[in-house]
């Protein structure tokens, strides 16, 4: 380890989660459409996690740890705790759940993802402190592990939540 | 897929070379990689597939190539003064005319492919109305992947690229059938000699 090491970027691909306690690292999920990225940061333990959820629920055999919000939320929170984060301290922020293509006739899948995320957190006594959910724009999100900043970029805007 | 190239060629008056399609079993990440990566901005024409074969079809172009294609299609239809600027300062900005031209080119290309499939299936394959989106490829594809992957972890993707003679337009045609339509598609592709 050297003091001048370049910041480490850990990428959460679709259905995957990443964690870090390295203050020089950042956790990224690229090109979210209807998917939802959930960022968790513990300001005391200085540990962060980012999960890239795909669907509200489904069969779990052979799937990635966070392909589904149902079941995946527990996998993510347990892995965070194993790294020293405390559920009572973590700051949760989320982005995604957009709807851009006219697929299927029913409720847009992005909306179902957003609702499942909110409900799943509420069941565990948790809530989002900030969120950029819904709309029609794609998003790339970045969690800075050093200070917990959560940056959401679309093609036209960059905002910090 | 050759017929799809001919359809686009007759529309633009240019020779279109369509390469042999690749058929692959893919994870979600593989499909996103085929489109150039999650954060790559693309112009995508999306058509849903209904009827005896269910799934999704997308024609993907880089924004620069989408502008070039629009220019080719609109030349001849419009007076020089009415044409959109050839080199916009921001390649992500499209005017309504360009969007409509590229959407129609995508629609014609995809529909030609689906018509050919339908002929071999001897059953109708119905395209939904086309939709054009300029977005990050990951954001465009994840809604499609969600529809396909709620019960399975892999999808079958048919992908081809084409080049428009002289003007160097590279496009990717991606056809993603639902799992329950796979055997129907495989039979049809076998009949097409792919």
């Amino acid at each position: 380890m050297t003091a001048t090491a370049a910041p480490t970027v850990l990428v959460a691909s679709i259905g995957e989660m990443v964690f870090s306690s390295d203050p020089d690292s950042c956790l990224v999920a690229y090109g979210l459409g209807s998917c939802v990225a959930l960022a968790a940061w513990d300001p005391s333990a200085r540990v962060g996690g980012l999960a890239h959820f795909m669907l509200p629920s489904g069969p779990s055999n052979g799937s990635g740890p966070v392909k589904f919000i149902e079941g995946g939320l527990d996998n993510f929170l347990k892995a965070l705790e194993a790294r020293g984060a405390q559920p009572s301290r973590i700051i949760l922020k989320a982005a995604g759940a957009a709807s851009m293509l006219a697929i299927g006739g029913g409720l847009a899948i992005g909306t179902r993802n957003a609702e499942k995320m909110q409900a799943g957190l509420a069941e565990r006594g948790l809530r989002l402190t900030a969120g950029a959910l819904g709309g029609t724009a794609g998003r790339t999100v970045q969690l800075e592990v050093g200070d917990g900043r959560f940056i959401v970029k679309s093609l036209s805007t960059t905002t910090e939540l | 897929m050759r017929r799809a190239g001919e359809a686009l060629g007759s529309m633009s008056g240019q020779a279109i070379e369509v390469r042999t399609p690749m058929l692959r079993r893919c994870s979600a990440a593989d499909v996103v990689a085929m489109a150039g990566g999650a954060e790559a901005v693309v112009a995508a024409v999306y058509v849903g597939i209904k009827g005896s074969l269910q799934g999704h079809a997308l024609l993907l172009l880089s924004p620069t190539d989408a502008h070039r294609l629009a220019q080719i299609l609109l030349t001849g239809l419009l007076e020089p003064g009415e044409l959109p600027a050839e080199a916009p300062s921001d390649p992500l900005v499209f005017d309504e005319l360009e969007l409509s031209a590229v959407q129609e080119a995508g629609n014609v290309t995809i529909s030609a492919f689906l018509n050919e499939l339908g002929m071999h299936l001897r059953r109708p394959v119905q395209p939904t109305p086309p939709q054009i989106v300029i977005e990050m490829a990951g954001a465009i594809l994840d809604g499609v992947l969600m529809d396909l992957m709620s019960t399975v972890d892999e999808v079958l993707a048919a992908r081809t690229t084409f080049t428009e003679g002289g003007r160097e337009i590279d496009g990717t045609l991606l056809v993603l059938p639902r799992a329950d339509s796979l055997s129907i598609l495989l039979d049809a592709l076998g009949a097409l000699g792919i």
Side-chain angles (χ1 to χ4, degrees):
Chain A
M1 290 289 285
T2 62
T4 55
T8 312
V9 177
L10 297 173
V11 179
S13 301
I14 192 162
E16 293 178 357
M17 55 185 180
V18 289
F19 304 91
S20 178
S21 51
D22 173 1
D24 289 327
S25 65
C26 67
L27 312 179
V28 182
Y30 292 112
L32 299 163
S34 309
C35 287
V36 180
L38 177 65
W41 188 66
D42 184 326
S44 301
R46 300 262 155 185
V47 60
L50 184 69
H52 186 159
F53 295 100
M54 188 178 188
L55 285 157
S57 59
S60 60
N61 47 324
S63 308
V66 294
K67 178 175 174 182
F68 304 110
I69 295 171
E70 190 176 288
L73 203 48
D74 278 333
N75 292 339
F76 179 60
L77 294 170
K78 274 181 202 152
L80 261 177
E81 283 185 63
R83 286 163 175 80
Q86 296 255 333
S88 58
R89 289 194 306 240
I90 51 172
I91 296 164
L92 293 162
K93 297 174 183 178
S99 302
M100 57 194 70
L101 296 177
I103 294 175
L107 187 59
I109 202 146
T111 309
R112 279 168 44 209
N113 267 340
E115 287 170 356
K116 187 77 182 176
M117 173 64 67
Q118 310 266 20
L121 291 174
E123 279 169 23
R124 292 159 181 81
L126 301 168
R127 64 181 188 87
L128 296 175
T129 56
L133 296 167
T136 56
R139 300 172 173 101
T140 284
V141 301
Q142 182 173 333
L143 175 68
E144 301 284 346
V145 177
D147 55 13
R149 285 192 306 145
F150 186 59
I151 297 149
V152 181
K153 292 178 203 167
S154 71
L155 291 186
S156 54
T157 60
T158 297
T159 49
E160 189 181 323
L161 296 182
Chain B
M1 296 249 186
R2 184 178 50 82
R3 190 91 32 110
E6 284 170 6
L8 187 57
S10 66
M11 194 176 164
S12 65
Q14 306 276 321
I16 310 265
E17 183 197 332
V18 180
R19 299 187 188 94
T20 307
M22 285 193 321
L23 203 60
R24 275 184 58 192
R25 195 166 279 283
C26 297
S27 69
D30 293 337
V31 175
V32 173
M34 278 201 252
E39 215 183 19
V41 178
V42 295
V45 180
Y46 167 79
V47 173
I49 308 171
K50 306 281 177 201
S52 54
L53 179 75
Q54 308 259 326
H56 308 276
L58 297 125
L59 182 76
L60 307 171
L61 298 162
S62 74
T64 309
D65 280 354
H67 282 294
R68 281 205 198 112
L69 181 60
Q71 200 78 27
I72 291 168
L73 295 168
L74 295 170
T75 306
L77 292 177
L78 301 172
E79 296 299 318
E82 296 174 309
L83 281 173
E86 181 131 17
S89 52
D90 181 350
L92 302 186
V93 174
F94 286 78
D95 68 24
E96 286 299 317
L97 216 50
E98 287 181 293
L99 286 177
S100 151
V102 175
Q103 175 173 286
E104 194 44 32
N107 190 32
V108 164
T109 307
I110 293 168
S111 297
F113 176 74
L114 296 181
N115 283 341
E116 192 160 0
L117 270 185
M119 272 167 31
H120 286 277
L121 292 171
R122 299 181 193 282
R123 277 185 281 184
V125 176
Q126 293 148 1
T128 65
Q131 192 182 347
I132 184 162
V133 187
I134 315 293
E135 253 301 348
M136 292 181 261
I140 294 168
L141 285 169
D142 71 10
V144 169
L145 292 171
M146 283 172 191
D147 182 58
L148 297 174
M149 300 182 87
S150 59
T151 54
V152 294
D153 288 323
E154 285 190 319
V155 294
L156 192 75
R159 177 199 185 217
T160 188
T161 55
F162 57 84
T163 307
E164 176 140 8
R167 299 293 292 254
E168 292 182 347
I169 288 174
D170 288 316
T172 299
L173 179 60
L174 211 50
V175 178
L176 301 155
R178 293 182 68 102
D180 46 16
S181 296
L182 270 185
S183 57
I184 295 171
L185 180 79
L186 288 171
D187 288 349
L189 290 175
L192 287 168
I194 287 170

